[in-house]
Amino acid sequence: MNCLPRVYFSWALLTVAVIPASSGEMYTSLLNVKQAISVERKLIDYLRTYIDQELERLEDIKRFYVKVSDLHTELYKGPGTAMANPLVAFTLIKRLHSEWLNVVYSNEALENAQALRSGYEDKEADLPKLEDLQGAAKGLMRLQDVYALQVTSLVRGRFQRVSNGKPIDIYMPTVSVPLSGDDCFLVGKVAYEQEDYYHSVQWLEESVRLFRGTGGEWSPENEGTLEDALDHLAFSHFKTGNVSYALSLSQELLHYDPMNGRVLQNVEKYEKLLVAASPPRVSGLRRPTTKHVRTRDTYERLCQTQGSQPMHFENPRLFCDYFTNDNPGLLLLPVRREVLSLQPYVVLYHNFITDTETEDVKRIAQQGLTRSVVAAGEKQATADYRISKSAWLKDSAHSIVGKLDQRISMLTGLNVKHPYGEYLQVVNYGIGGHYEPHFDHATSPSSPVFKLKTGNRVATFMIYLSSVEAGGSTAFIYANFSAPVVEKAAIFWWNLHRNGQGDVDTLHAGCPVLIGDKWVANKWIHEYGQEFQHRCSLNPEE
């Protein structure tokens, strides 16, 4: 990814764009990850069939073994008298010529293995690709960074960070899954291949520890070994300046592979560096910098609180009420409104959508989900700073879309019909799914937002279609508060001042989802069409 040296981006999406689905983007949507469960369930069935058939074959092999062993124990023990019997001699020759051949090169064994492979290949198109494995690993590292999680705890299936020198639980999962040495090796390897030695050292240290705990025993399902982990870890430490530890690990590796020429050269190199007059200093582990998120510290602090800042609600001007917007349709059933911020103006509408409606929206969006894109000049592209899949729903897709448009219009008083409002965008976040700090409104005249020819995005209306157990807050960076995910609620804010200029205080982010399946629906409303609903001010500074 090319990092842009700007404080923020205009990561606007164009509703009319059609982005083809990729076969390697399972990690970008938790829906796809869930669908993979049924694929593995079918693979388990294939494996069960294979095991049953192989057990039957092994029983036949055991019978053959017992038969031949008994012959050598009883019949062939004499001084060659047995061979005088032509029948015994014939059966020996026949057995050595064909029976052993049939056992060793069993057609049945090949058929069983081929049946298993055929079943696997039948599902191969639905299996995760290398990109998915790498994306999932990056998602774990993203969660590690943003929520300050300890790798040693993650490996045990716990979500903990250190506070005052003591580990504290950020979240206690109902299902705890510890990671293996091979799991940690693959995460560390992804970081290693990106020359991100800050992460590779931490994950490979755990990989080596776990592999050592098993005595270096290899399992057929593993990709890595203790030797692989030692090799990668040694070089990672060398790159961070810890030459003495790199030497120690390399020497340990030579115990397992004493003739490895490359490692022998590394050992010689490390020894020379250590006896040099000025050996390299240990720089320690430093987290890689991110050029395009200069607000990283604030962003991560807001994400870690997983909700509004304590001082935020001490503002006496903030309030909750039952809101009708003077609309006749809301007089009998007003909406619970919670004003979260005055600058920028951000409001939360509770129980905006029903359970049935949320399921309908998610259901009709599923078939159209593709990797979410961001503006890259006049074009659009995928990016690591936005991990999710999205679909665009016209009001003709289902009656619920039109009903939501009508409800949004009643609450905001704005014209949300296309093209004055973009089509409803439904988003499902992936593993560690997030959207780093950005503006919803366009900040460049070349932005795809203006292709609709209805001006800039004046307001954002975002509906929370699901809850999450942890993470996933909407963080407003310069306004210094974050809004947690409130299922069935909707959040609304103005992106532009009344003079048409962008409100810099609306810089916001979707924090990574720590635990849960986050779904939202976005409605972006444009300037044109609001002339009588949201009038311009006579004050050019307002």
Side-chain angles (χ1 to χ4, degrees), residues 137-151 154 160-161 196 198-199 202-203 286-290 296-297 299-301 303-304 436 512 514:
K138 292 176 184 177
L140 289 181
M141 290 185 276
R142 183 182 310 120
L143 294 174
Q144 169 196 345
D145 291 344
V146 173
Y147 296 105
L149 301 177
Q150 296 296 107
V151 174
L154 286 171
Q160 295 179 323
R161 76 166 64 105
D196 173 8
Y198 169 84
H199 289 103
Q202 297 180 70
W203 285 93
R286 294 183 180 178
R287 184 176 164 192
T289 57
T290 304
R296 184 170 74 178
D297 291 343
Y299 160 58
E300 293 181 354
R301 174 177 55 79
C303 290
Q304 289 173 18
E436 288 182 353
L514 184 58

Side-chain angles (χ1 to χ4, degrees), residues 60-69 95 99-100 103:
D60 291 335
I61 293 175
K62 287 179 182 178
R63 179 183 48 76
F64 178 76
Y65 169 81
V66 170
K67 181 183 76 171
V68 177
S69 296
R95 189 167 59 252
E99 291 183 16
W100 275 97
V103 169

